[in-house]
């Protein structure tokens, strides 16, 4: 049960499923319906502490405070984009670590991009999140709270969640799956599974395991290169899993879930953005009927990777289109607010 090990022996109540909470209540000599009440305070009313749970007796609130950790995130900083209203939040965790989350407003609703780990150990060459390695995994409650805290702060309902912030979600598998079950629970915030996207750098065994979880989420694969050689230059994980194994895992995921995979492809000038690259990419995406998201690489100061021009990105998309591949050039949100993964947390840490 490492997901509830908060280091001080108290269990983490916000990471518990409703059934677990019901067992806890019974063990405490309380009625099972108390679990439903507490669950609703935590996951629907987004209460910030036990004190707000006014339909519980004071004694029970006191007992809960003694027994459980109540995870709430504190806003350390927020940056708002002057261009598109995107907000990037930096939150403080109970142990002094920090995570960042991004709030984006679209026509179809509000989307939150959450972090799944403090730091990351995947070490992708273009990414700021992995520069200092992995600090620790996030608990389900700490992932939920990124969405809850943003809902409280903006006063607006979140309809979509993307697990695409700092961290490799499939490297924190149990906690992330539990988070997805909690946030899509009809007794909780009840976000549609179809509105959840999980992005992975391609951990093959976990992708296969995820296919068997009975979830209807969208799986996005960070591809970034269409040959093993090039991918290895950008992503150390490519030394562990070859593209053919990865494509088989994608096919399996589609077979089991009926959900089409999305390929994420960061366009890096002179590295993976030529006509030949588009052709190779089409060769991978075609058989799987994947949608391709093209993202001009977001430059980080620690690395020399640069995006090409917007026209080049559009050309690349058209080349894919000619091969029958559906692609979009992603709108770059929050360019002016350290939008790239890990940039804000890194900046805040170097300043303090
Ligand atoms: N570890 C997961 C999720 C976090 S990264 C994954 O690899 O998918 C989310 C996405 O942002 C990934 O596609 C990642 O490759 C991409 N990314 C990271 N840094 C970037 C940058 N500087 N520019 C463009 N995309 C970047």
């Amino acid at each position: 049960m490492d997901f509830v090990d908060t280091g001080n022996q108290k269990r983490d109540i916000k990471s518990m499923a409703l059934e677990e909470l019901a067992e806890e209540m019974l063990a405490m000599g309380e009625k099972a319906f108390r679990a439903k009440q507490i669950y609703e305070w935590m996951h629907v009313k987004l209460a910030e502490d036990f004190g707000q749970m006014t339909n519980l007796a004071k004694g029970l609130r006191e007992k809960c405070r003694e027994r459980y950790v109540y995870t709430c995130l504190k806003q350390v900083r927020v940056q708002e984009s002057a261009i598109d209203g995107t907000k990037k939040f930096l939150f403080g965790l109970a142990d002094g670590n920090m995570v960042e989350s991004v709030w984006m407003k679209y026509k179809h609703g509000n989307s939150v991009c959450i972090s799944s780990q403090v730091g990351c150990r995947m070490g992708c060459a273009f990414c700021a999140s992995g520069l200092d390695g992995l600090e620790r995994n996030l608990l389900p409650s700490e992932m939920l709270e990124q969405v809850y805290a943003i809902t409280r702060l903006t006063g607006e309902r979140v309809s979509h969640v993307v697990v695409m912030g700092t961290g490799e979600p499939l490297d924190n598998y149990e906690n992330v799956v539990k988070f997805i079950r909690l946030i899509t629970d009809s007794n909780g915030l009840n976000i549609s599974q179809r509105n959840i996207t999980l992005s992975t750098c391609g951990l093959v065994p976990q992708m296969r395991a995820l296919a068997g979880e009975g979830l209807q989420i969208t799986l996005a694969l960070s591809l970034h290169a269409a040959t093993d050689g090039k991918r290895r230059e950008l992503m150390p994980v490519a030394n562990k899993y070859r593209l053919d194994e990865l494509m088989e895992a994608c096919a399996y995921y589609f077979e089991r879930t009926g959900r089409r995979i999305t390929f994420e492809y960061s366009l890096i000038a002179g590295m993976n953005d030529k006509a030949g690259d588009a052709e190779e990419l089409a060769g991978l995406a075609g058989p799987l009927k994947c949608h391709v998201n093209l993202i001009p690489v977001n430059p980080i100061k620690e690395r020399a990777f640069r995006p090409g021009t917007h026209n080049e990105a559009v050309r690349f998309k058209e080349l894919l289109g000619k091969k029958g591949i559906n692609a979009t050039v992603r709108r770059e949100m929050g360019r002016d607010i350290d939008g790239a993964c890990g940039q804000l947390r890194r900046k805040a840490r170097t300043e303090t």
Side-chain angles (χ1 to χ4, degrees):
M1 294 275 261
D2 79 325
F3 59 83
V4 289
D5 180 9
T6 51
N8 59 1
Q9 308 305 314
K10 287 190 183 184
R11 292 197 67 193
D12 174 23
I13 193 166
K14 216 178 264 187
S15 289
M16 290 180 194
L18 181 55
E19 306 77 59
E20 285 174 81
L21 193 51
E23 281 168 28
E24 291 281 322
M25 288 302 123
L26 291 175
M28 278 164 73
E30 295 286 338
K31 296 261 167 33
F33 78 90
R34 294 292 177 201
K36 189 105 193 252
Q37 290 180 318
I38 296 175
Y39 195 86
E40 192 179 18
W41 277 112
M42 291 193 293
H43 301 289
V44 181
K45 297 178 184 160
L46 313 184
E48 288 172 80
D49 59 56
F50 292 113
Q52 292 179 354
M53 305 184 183
T54 45
N55 57 356
L56 302 183
K58 270 218 176 88
L60 176 56
R61 280 185 254 163
E62 210 38 61
K63 267 205 277 189
C64 286
R65 216 172 272 127
E66 280 162 21
R67 265 174 204 239
Y68 306 116
V69 173
Y70 195 89
T71 301
C72 255
L73 300 190
K74 282 189 261 344
Q75 178 184 310
V76 175
R77 198 184 278 204
V78 59
Q79 294 186 347
E80 180 166 0
S81 166
I83 306 168
D84 52 39
T86 295
K87 286 183 185 171
K88 187 150 192 171
F89 294 89
L90 187 68
F91 290 114
L93 304 171
D95 64 358
N97 276 306
M98 290 183 287
V99 287
E100 50 184 60
S101 326
V102 185
W103 184 79
M104 292 159 287
K105 229 176 152 62
Y106 292 99
K107 279 192 226 84
H108 61 255
N110 298 322
S111 182
V112 169
C113 173
I114 67 150
S115 295
S116 56
Q117 296 179 312
V118 182
C120 182
R121 58 183 181 142
M122 296 299 132
C124 298
F126 45 82
C127 179
S129 294
L131 290 169
D132 299 314
L134 176 69
E135 183 67 33
R136 71 168 172 87
N137 283 330
L138 291 182
L139 299 166
S141 61
E142 292 170 324
M143 290 181 257
L144 288 169
E145 259 298 312
Q146 295 174 57
V147 179
Y148 297 179
I150 287 177
T151 304
R152 290 192 294 259
L153 288 161
T154 60
E156 289 189 41
R157 188 180 151 79
V158 171
S159 58
H160 291 66
V161 174
V162 294
V163 189
M164 256 191 209
T166 294
E168 168 47 48
L170 297 186
D171 188 36
N172 182 15
Y173 186 89
E174 295 297 329
N175 289 335
V176 166
V177 168
K178 186 141 197 217
F179 157 76
I180 293 169
R181 294 202 195 285
L182 286 166
I183 199 135
T184 58
D185 183 8
S186 58
N187 293 301
L189 219 50
N190 197 15
I191 295 180
S192 163
Q193 287 186 1
R194 287 167 181 265
N195 291 355
I196 308 275
T197 301
L198 183 151
S199 178
T200 179
C201 65
L203 302 182
V204 167
Q206 289 93 322
M207 285 167 69
R208 288 180 168 272
L210 190 66
E213 296 283 354
L215 296 170
Q216 281 292 299
I217 61 169
T218 299
L219 181 61
L221 172 67
S222 299
L223 198 61
H224 305 320
T227 62
D228 280 315
K230 238 175 221 183
R231 199 161 185 266
R232 283 177 193 140
E233 282 180 48
L234 295 171
M235 306 173 74
V237 70
N239 293 299
K240 193 152 183 198
Y241 304 110
R242 290 186 320 270
L243 279 171
D244 59 342
E245 299 171 88
L246 206 48
M247 294 308 115
E248 270 176 39
C250 289
Y252 178 73
Y253 188 87
F254 176 60
E255 212 179 282
R256 286 293 298 269
T257 63
R259 305 283 300 161
R260 268 188 206 166
I261 309 268
T262 301
F263 283 167
E264 306 281 320
Y265 193 96
S266 288
L267 290 165
I268 305 171
M271 175 81 199
N272 63 3
D273 67 340
K274 296 287 164 286
D277 298 302
E279 203 133 313
E280 279 162 342
L281 176 56
L284 293 180
L288 292 163
K289 300 188 179 63
C290 287
H291 183 89
V292 177
N293 256 332
L294 298 168
I295 314 136
V297 74
N298 210 333
I300 58 172
K301 69 174 194 313
E302 292 83 358
R303 298 282 186 271
F305 300 112
R306 293 290 173 268
T309 63
H310 180 71
N311 283 346
E312 284 170 314
V314 172
R315 276 277 307 140
F316 196 91
K317 172 189 134 90
E318 285 167 357
L319 286 172
L320 291 174
K322 278 194 191 125
K323 299 265 169 194
I325 310 297
N326 207 335
T328 33
V329 180
R330 189 136 79 191
R331 263 170 75 202
E332 295 160 73
M333 311 270 287
R335 244 283 154 86
D336 54 335
I337 52 165
D338 303 302
C341 307
Q343 284 189 130
L344 179 59
R345 168 172 168 262
R346 197 171 162 76
K347 192 159 95 184
R349 290 206 325 165
T350 18
E351 280 169 13
T352 48

